[in-house]
């Protein structure tokens, strides 16, 4: 891993923390908040690619674990990594990896629709992990916890569009993902 | 940067970070196995005594635990209503214990001590290409750049507000580009200081050359 990669990983972890400082929209009933923080997860994967994106998210988890208030609403600490909503944070490396994998796969012909799809699939993976964890912790059948996902869908589509546009813009201005060249290209 | 650590000089504050974390892991495992509400409640009592010993203000404790506690209450109420009362009580007590105990460790342990534990815990991962000595540097870098990027975000917002742009997402692209520009400079600075594999390889060759000369 080059020094530049270390810098990118540290800075995207910091960026994800900064996006958590943005205004918070609390959702009724569940107590989980809607913030721009998960955008950091998707952008890390979509801009840095699978490996560096996932490591950046592991770094954010380390920052939470060592007691820094870097989560939305100035939250943090080990309680956030062990409580009922902890799955929504543990899912971040996986979410970044999935978005990164799709963006890398479609890198040469990355259209807005594909970039948005990659962002959306990454976001959905956060819920799969988060809600399964929630259901296990609360002793509920997974299906009961899953309905609440529908409530987030509109917000997620909007966020994914924003992330997809940003991923495309950065691809043009500052491409960081390198795809092995196609052999026998004319 | 503010940490959640609350300074103090109690027995819990002086206890080694690794010991506290191991105790927390063992207690969390045990609490997930146990089902007797009285045993679970006494576990919470022990944690409460810990808060008293460490002299943690009630407000600090509430600030960290409130979201989870609200969830616990809502879910316990739902479960009590739809199924029966006893599983609701067990689940509620378990989560209450886990969150308050974990937060007690966070509140009484210095960030620097926890970083040391993370580095030590990463040592067995060396064979998979993890460099424990770089973890501390990367963590420190991220901490250092949170306020820097926060300020950048404010500047972008101000500039956009001046032009009448109000949508929350327009912040993203300029902020990401600024982040990437910063990363260029930081990467070079790290390289000069001998971090990163390419720099390390370069350093060893120059060393080798000077020795053969």
């Amino acid at each position: 891993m080059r020094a530049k990669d270390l810098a990118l990983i540290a800075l995207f972890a910091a960026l994800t923390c900064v996006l958590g400082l943005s205004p918070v929209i609390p959702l009724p009933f569940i107590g989980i908040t809607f913030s721009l923080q998960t955008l950091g997860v998707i952008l890390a994967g979509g801009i840095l690619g699978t490996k560096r994106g996932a490591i950046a998210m592991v770094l954010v988890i380390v920052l939470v674990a060592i007691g820094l208030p870097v989560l939305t609403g100035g939250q943090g600490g080990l309680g956030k990594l062990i409580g009922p909503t902890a799955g929504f944070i543990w899912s971040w490396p996986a979410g970044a990896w999935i978005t990164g994998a799709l963006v890398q796969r479609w890198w040469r012909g990355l259209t807005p629709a594909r970039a948005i799809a990659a962002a959306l699939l990454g976001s959905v993976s956060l819920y799969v992990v988060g809600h399964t964890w929630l259901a296990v912790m609360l002793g509920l059948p997974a299906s009961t916890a899953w309905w609440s996902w529908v409530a987030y869908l509109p917000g997620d589509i909007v966020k994914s569009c924003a992330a997809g546009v940003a991923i495309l813009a950065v691809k043009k201005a500052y491409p960081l993902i390198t795809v092995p060249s196609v052999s026998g290209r004319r | 940067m503010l940490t959640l650590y609350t300074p103090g000089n109690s027995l819990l504050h002086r206890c080694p970070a690794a010991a506290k974390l191991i105790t927390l892991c063992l207690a969390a495992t045990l609490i997930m196995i146990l089902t007797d509400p009285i045993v679970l409640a006494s576990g919470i009592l022990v944690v409460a005594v810990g808060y008293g010993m460490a002299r943690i203000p009630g407000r600090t404790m509430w600030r960290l635990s409130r979201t989870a506690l609200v969830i616990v209450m809502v879910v316990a109420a739902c479960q009590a209503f739809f199924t029966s009362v006893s599983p609701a009580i067990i689940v509620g007590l378990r989560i209450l214990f886990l969150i308050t105990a974990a937060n007690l460790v966070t509140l009484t342990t210095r960030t620097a001590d926890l970083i040391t534990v993370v580095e030590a815990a990463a040592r067995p991962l060396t064979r998979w290409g993890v460099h424990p000595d770089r973890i501390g540097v990367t963590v420190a870098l991220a901490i250092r750049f949170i306020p820097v990027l926060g300020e950048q975000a404010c500047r972008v917002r101000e500039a956009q507000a001046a032009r009448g742009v109000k949508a929350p997402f327009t912040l993203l692209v300029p902020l990401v580009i600024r982040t990437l520009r910063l990363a260029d400079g930081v990467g070079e600075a790290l390289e000069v200081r001998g971090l990163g594999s390419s720099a390390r390889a370069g350093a060893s060759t120059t060393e080798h050359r000077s020795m053969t000369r």
Side-chain angles (χ1 to χ4, degrees):
Chain A
M1 189 151 289
R2 294 177 306 129
K4 176 78 189 292
D5 295 325
L6 285 185
L8 285 170
I9 287 164
L11 279 156
F12 266 78
L15 179 69
T16 307
C17 300
V18 168
L19 288 172
L21 302 173
S22 61
V24 171
I25 308 149
L27 286 163
F29 308 121
I30 304 295
I32 304 159
T33 44
F34 175 101
S35 81
L36 298 183
Q37 194 148 46
T38 52
L39 269 175
V41 180
I42 302 308
L43 290 177
I47 292 169
L48 301 183
T50 49
K51 201 177 162 194
R52 288 175 294 186
I55 295 173
M57 291 306 111
V58 172
L59 181 56
V60 177
I61 293 175
V62 170
L63 295 177
V64 174
I66 61 176
L68 299 178
V70 294
L71 296 174
T72 300
Q75 296 276 323
L78 290 165
K80 279 273 144 187
L81 296 177
I82 209 175
T85 54
F88 290 97
I89 297 158
W90 289 110
S91 63
W92 288 355
W97 183 282
I98 288 170
T99 299
L102 290 169
V103 168
Q104 280 172 357
R105 192 183 172 84
W106 292 328
W107 187 247
R108 277 170 210 290
L110 196 66
T111 56
R114 280 176 171 174
I116 291 166
L120 193 61
L121 284 168
S123 323
V124 169
S125 72
L126 305 183
Y127 294 109
V128 175
V129 178
H131 279 152
T132 310
W133 180 296
L134 190 67
V136 170
M137 282 288 282
L138 302 178
L140 297 167
S143 55
T144 323
W146 276 55
W147 64 266
S148 58
W149 173 66
V150 179
Y152 295 93
L153 197 57
D156 262 317
I157 291 172
V158 174
K159 276 200 269 183
S160 297
C161 290
V165 169
I167 289 168
L168 269 179
V170 174
K171 187 199 169 188
K172 273 185 199 135
Y174 233 103
L176 285 164
I177 291 173
T178 44
V179 193
S181 60
V182 182
S183 55
R185 206 169 47 158
R186 272 165 287 176
Chain B
M1 168 128 201
L2 211 69
T3 72
L4 298 169
Y5 171 71
T6 315
N9 197 28
S10 71
L11 186 65
L12 273 169
H13 281 88
R14 281 177 281 137
C15 195
K20 276 184 271 190
L21 287 169
I22 292 167
T23 313
L24 178 65
C25 287
L26 292 177
T29 315
L30 201 63
I31 221 82
M32 292 309 276
I33 301 166
L34 297 171
T35 49
D36 186 355
I38 296 163
V39 177
L40 294 175
S42 42
I44 293 168
L45 205 67
V46 171
V47 176
V49 170
Y51 274 93
M53 265 170 62
R55 305 226 167 116
I56 303 290
R59 243 173 64 203
T60 314
M61 185 196 151
W62 171 244
R63 199 186 78 81
L64 261 188
S65 311
R66 66 179 171 211
T67 6
L69 296 185
V70 170
I71 297 175
V72 170
M73 282 190 282
V74 170
V75 170
C78 287
Q79 242 177 8
F81 185 76
F82 287 115
T83 56
S84 63
V85 181
S86 66
I89 291 174
I90 292 168
V91 168
L93 288 176
R94 265 184 195 158
I95 293 172
L96 191 66
F97 175 87
L98 288 176
I99 290 168
T100 50
N103 284 340
L104 184 59
V105 175
T106 297
L107 288 167
T108 58
T109 316
R110 272 194 197 85
T111 303
D113 295 342
L114 286 168
I115 294 176
T116 312
V117 174
V118 171
E119 284 178 328
R123 218 157 282 152
L125 301 177
T126 313
R127 76 187 76 153
W128 287 291
V130 177
H131 297 263
D133 51 317
R134 285 189 207 162
I135 294 175
V137 177
T138 321
V139 168
L141 263 182
I143 295 173
R144 174 67 190 84
F145 278 95
I146 291 170
V148 175
L149 289 179
E151 203 200 303
Q152 296 281 348
C154 284
R155 267 195 223 159
V156 174
R157 277 229 170 95
E158 277 165 17
Q160 290 179 338
R163 300 201 308 271
V165 181
K166 266 187 186 160
F169 297 119
T170 49
L171 170 77
L172 278 184
V173 176
L175 186 59
V176 170
I177 298 287
R178 278 160 192 243
T179 305
L180 294 173
R181 270 200 207 129
L182 266 173
D184 277 340
V186 173
E188 274 167 28
L190 287 178
E191 194 115 19
V192 168
R193 282 161 183 77
L195 274 119
S197 48
S198 57
R200 189 162 285 183
S204 67
T205 48
T206 42
E207 206 175 76
H208 180 69
R209 234 180 270 150
S210 63
M211 275 167 75
T212 48
R213 246 175 223 168

